[in-house]
Amino acid sequence: SRPKANGYQGLHLTVMGPAGQWVEVQIRSARMDEIAERGLAAHWKYKTSKNFSPPDKISEEDSQLDKWLHEIKTILEDPDPQGIDMLDTLKMNLFSSEIFVFTPKGDIKMLPQHATVLDFAFSLHSDMGYHCIGAKVNHALVPISHKLQGGDQVEILTSKSQNPTEEWFTLVTTAVAHTKIKEFLRRKKRTLIRNGQQRTSQFIESLQKLNVNITDDRLVHFFNYPNKEDFFYEVGRGNIFLNDDSKKLFVEHTGNFLKRYLWPFGSKTPPPPTPSPEANPVQTPNDDPELLVVDKKKPFLLDENAHNKTFFIARCCNPIPDDDTVGYLENNRKMIVHQRSCPVAIRLKSTYGERIFSVDWRMPQSYFTAYIEIKGIDSMGILNKITQVILNMSINIQQINTETSENIFDGKLKILVHKASDVDELCHNLSKVKGIELAIRTLE
């Protein structure tokens, strides 16, 4: 009969055998036969582990379909599987073009096209992916975001201090790498939540010894968080400080502040506010020239001539012009300027809201100290490239410290700038330098 081609079923023929019986013949390639017989799901492969081998134990005669199915199995073992994630996995890996790269020992690894050094590291081992800081591709140092080409020889470089971050999701293309990063960050968040819960319990116990009764629910409300998990997470990250200073704050204001702000957790009606000398911190008697005159309705002016006389820059966050800042009136005599996101400023705002003022920077000629952290692949002339970028922007360098370990350098810059946008522009320009992976502003 006429032969029929039917996709992965191959070529169909119907012929008469020697005994006069009709015989159906199917002619397939090895790959056609594999997919036709097993199907893309291949349920019998991943339902039982005894019939399935991890990718590092798959022999040469095993198919690439087995390796793909292993990736699917890894996704399914995720404790929080999502249908969208599975669909993304199919789109990323099933029909993508493939490249072959080599380990230093000559082993061949297959990856999707556009795979990065980080993808390759996770394909070798999870721990190698978690701690990857770069690689040597064809004996040249490259960052973790470097895209691999077919035939590349890749040697992964690791550091115990390196751990995945949210930004890593943009640096990988394989589903396995994406899942491993997500799994690590989820474990890290659970650990931080447990640590935050433990610190909160210890803080509450220390307050109880001082006859201050407070619960974690009240603390969550006090710091304006929607639920305990988010609050414990921020405590674990160190964004909320439950230390001796916080303890003194609660002890001093047990009779006034806590009753006023935490009453929803006790009686049905709020108690009347207790008068205190701090009720009107901006009162400025004319006969006391040392007291600072502040108009609550207007931003407090930060003038060059008034620096270190009426206002000071907080050392905890080192704010500079263009930053989102607030002022805290201390003892009615001086204004302390903080970044609005500074944990100290958040704590002061929660406790002394009446002492928090908006500020207006009027210091165009003044210089402010800023700090930048730089990380990247060490190479000949990298420090010269960094300094050249800084000099091209006419920025004054006060100090440069660099350390190199396993061909990875970590640098700290101390510079003088007029405003925060200068720092942002410098970080942006530094990140364009070949070999630099990270350039961010730090507190010090």
Side-chain angles (χ1 to χ4, degrees):
S1 66
R2 172 182 289 182
K4 297 179 180 179
N6 187 15
Y8 286 116
Q9 296 298 321
L11 190 64
H12 288 241
L13 297 174
T14 304
V15 298
M16 181 175 290
Q21 297 177 337
W22 290 101
V23 179
E24 183 179 357
V25 179
Q26 292 181 341
I27 303 176
R28 305 171 177 164
S29 66
R31 182 169 179 80
M32 286 179 177
D33 183 69
E34 182 180 66
I35 296 179
E37 294 296 330
R38 300 184 182 185
L40 289 177
H43 296 285
W44 63 274
K45 271 285 184 183
Y46 63 80
K47 282 185 177 179
T48 58
S49 58
K50 66 180 181 179
N51 292 329
F52 195 85
S53 301
D56 56 344
K57 295 183 179 179
I58 294 177
S59 61
E60 293 182 358
E61 54 270 15
D62 283 331
S63 68
Q64 295 302 326
L65 181 61
D66 288 330
K67 296 182 180 180
W68 179 77
L69 289 173
H70 182 272
E71 293 187 2
I72 297 299
K73 180 173 180 287
T74 302
I75 302 298
L76 292 174
E77 289 175 347
D78 190 317
D80 185 25
Q82 298 290 334
I84 297 299
D85 291 342
M86 179 63 73
L87 181 60
D88 290 340
T89 299
L90 292 172
K91 291 193 296 183
M92 281 193 295
N93 297 120
L94 179 57
F95 296 115
S96 60
S97 300
E98 300 165 348
I99 61 172
F100 293 89
V101 295
F102 299 86
T103 67
K105 295 182 179 180
D107 297 331
I108 299 177
K109 295 292 181 180
M110 186 188 71
L111 294 170
Q113 195 174 17
H114 307 303
T116 64
V117 165
L118 201 53
D119 287 309
F120 180 75
F122 277 107
S123 73
L124 297 176
H125 197 278
S126 296
D127 288 338
M128 191 168 289
Y130 293 149
H131 305 302
C132 179
I133 57 176
K136 290 183 179 179
V137 176
N138 303 324
H139 307 290
L141 289 170
V142 298
I144 59 177
S145 59
H146 177 79
K147 292 184 179 180
L148 300 175
Q149 303 294 328
D152 284 344
Q153 184 188 67
V154 185
E155 179 184 355
I156 297 297
L157 303 176
T158 61
S159 173
K160 292 182 179 179
S161 62
Q162 178 78 306
N163 285 309
T165 63
E166 292 284 346
E167 289 75 18
W168 280 25
F169 287 121
T170 63
L171 304 180
V172 295
T173 59
T174 61
V176 168
H178 189 279
T179 301
K180 291 297 182 182
I181 296 171
K182 182 179 178 182
E183 180 183 338
F184 179 91
L185 294 177
R186 186 166 47 236
R187 289 200 308 267
K188 181 180 178 181
K189 183 176 182 179
R190 287 198 297 264
T191 300
L192 290 174
I193 290 175
R194 287 195 299 267
N195 292 341
Q197 187 174 9
Q198 184 178 1
R199 293 180 188 176
T200 303
S201 298
Q202 293 173 350
F203 180 72
I204 292 175
E205 290 175 2
S206 64
L207 285 176
Q208 290 175 346
K209 293 179 181 179
L210 300 174
N211 296 323
V212 177
N213 294 321
I214 193 171
T215 65
D216 50 6
D217 287 323
R218 291 183 174 183
L219 284 175
V220 172
H221 178 75
F222 174 72
F223 285 98
N224 297 320
Y225 279 88
N227 53 62
K228 290 183 181 180
E229 184 175 285
D230 290 345
F231 173 73
F232 293 149
Y233 178 59
E234 294 301 325
V235 174
R237 293 179 63 190
N239 290 339
I240 297 178
F241 298 97
L242 300 179
N243 49 23
D244 290 339
D245 291 338
S246 301
K247 194 185 304 181
K248 292 178 183 178
L249 182 149
F250 279 97
V251 172
E252 292 174 359
H253 294 270
T254 301
N256 179 26
F257 183 78
L258 292 182
K259 287 181 181 179
R260 187 167 32 145
Y261 285 92
L262 304 182
W263 65 266
F265 295 91
S267 60
K268 295 183 179 179
T269 57
T274 304
S276 72
E278 298 175 351
N280 187 9
V282 296
Q283 282 185 336
T284 55
N286 295 329
D287 57 350
D288 191 347
E290 292 186 359
L291 293 181
L292 187 62
V293 178
V294 181
D295 187 352
K296 188 73 174 179
K297 298 180 180 180
K298 299 179 181 180
F300 182 80
L301 188 62
L302 305 181
D303 185 77
E304 291 177 335
N305 297 326
H307 192 201
N308 294 329
K309 296 179 181 178
T310 61
F311 75 92
F312 299 84
I313 304 300
R315 297 182 62 184
C316 55
C317 54
N318 291 319
I320 58 179
D322 282 353
D323 282 334
D324 188 8
T325 52
V326 294
Y328 166 68
L329 184 62
E330 183 176 80
N331 298 328
N332 295 349
R333 286 176 171 82
K334 59 182 178 180
M335 188 75 70
I336 310 298
V337 183
H338 291 266
Q339 290 191 35
R340 191 179 296 273
S341 60
C342 173
V344 176
I346 294 174
R347 187 166 66 248
L348 291 172
K349 186 176 181 180
S350 300
T351 309
Y352 304 102
E354 68 277 10
R355 296 189 182 187
I356 301 298
F357 294 83
S358 60
V359 296
D360 183 12
W361 294 88
R362 297 288 179 88
M363 307 175 67
Q365 304 302 321
S366 297
Y367 282 97
F368 296 85
T369 301
Y371 301 87
I372 294 179
E373 181 180 3
I374 304 175
K375 291 185 178 181
I377 307 297
D378 190 24
S379 61
M380 185 69 69
I382 187 69
L383 186 58
N384 181 55
K385 295 177 182 178
I386 293 173
T387 55
Q388 192 61 46
V389 171
I390 300 174
L391 293 175
N392 288 341
M393 293 183 61
S394 300
I395 291 178
N396 188 5
I397 306 174
Q398 284 194 306
Q399 187 176 357
I400 296 181
N401 294 322
T402 59
E403 293 182 0
T404 302
S405 177
E406 296 181 351
N407 296 318
I408 304 299
F409 82 89
D410 190 343
K412 304 277 187 180
L413 298 178
K414 183 180 180 182
I415 57 177
L416 291 178
V417 295
H418 290 298
K419 53 188 181 298
S421 58
D422 295 338
V423 185
D424 295 337
E425 184 179 358
L426 177 57
C427 290
H428 177 71
N429 292 337
L430 287 174
S431 64
K432 294 181 178 180
V433 176
K434 185 177 181 180
I436 292 183
E437 280 294 292
L438 177 71
I440 58 172
R441 179 183 171 187
T442 59
L443 295 181
E444 60 179 62

